[in-house]
């Protein structure tokens, strides 16, 4: 296999993977958008339920996974 063919193959695999799976930025931004709308989301780490976390004010200040304890703040 030539170097060019190998590079094209690696690029194609990388492009397919990025089309199928969300980037970390999109994953966290999507979860954050739902949390500030007072909605529970899927924990990005374990897949269980992450509930909005509240501070002194009415709007959520982040989220906390009910299973593994991961927090988004
Ligand atoms: Zn979790």
């Amino acid at each position: 296999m030539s170097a060019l063919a190998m590079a094209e193959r690696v690029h194609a695999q990388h492009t397919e993977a990025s089309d199928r799976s969300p980037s970390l930025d999109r994953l966290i931004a999507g979860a954050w958008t739902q949390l500030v709308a007072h909605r529970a989301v899927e924990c990005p780490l374990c897949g269980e339920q992450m509930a909005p976390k509240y501070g002194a004010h009415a709007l959520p200040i982040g989220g906390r996974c009910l299973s593994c304890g991961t927090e988004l703040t």
Side-chain angles (χ1 to χ4, degrees):
M1 180 181 290
S2 73
L4 179 59
M6 185 177 279
E8 287 174 347
R9 185 172 171 187
V10 168
H11 176 73
Q13 288 173 343
H14 178 72
T15 302
E16 287 172 18
S18 60
D19 287 346
R20 278 195 307 256
S21 59
S23 70
L24 180 61
D25 182 51
R26 277 183 280 175
L27 184 70
I28 299 302
W32 187 258
T33 301
Q34 296 298 311
L35 287 170
V36 296
H38 308 276
R39 294 189 195 111
V41 298
E42 185 176 295
C43 173
L45 197 62
C46 74
E48 295 297 322
Q49 187 177 38
M50 177 175 278
K53 181 181 171 187
Y54 295 91
H57 302 285
L59 287 178
I61 58 171
R64 186 170 199 283
C65 177
L66 303 176
S67 178
C68 72
T70 297
E71 291 190 358
L72 286 181
T73 53

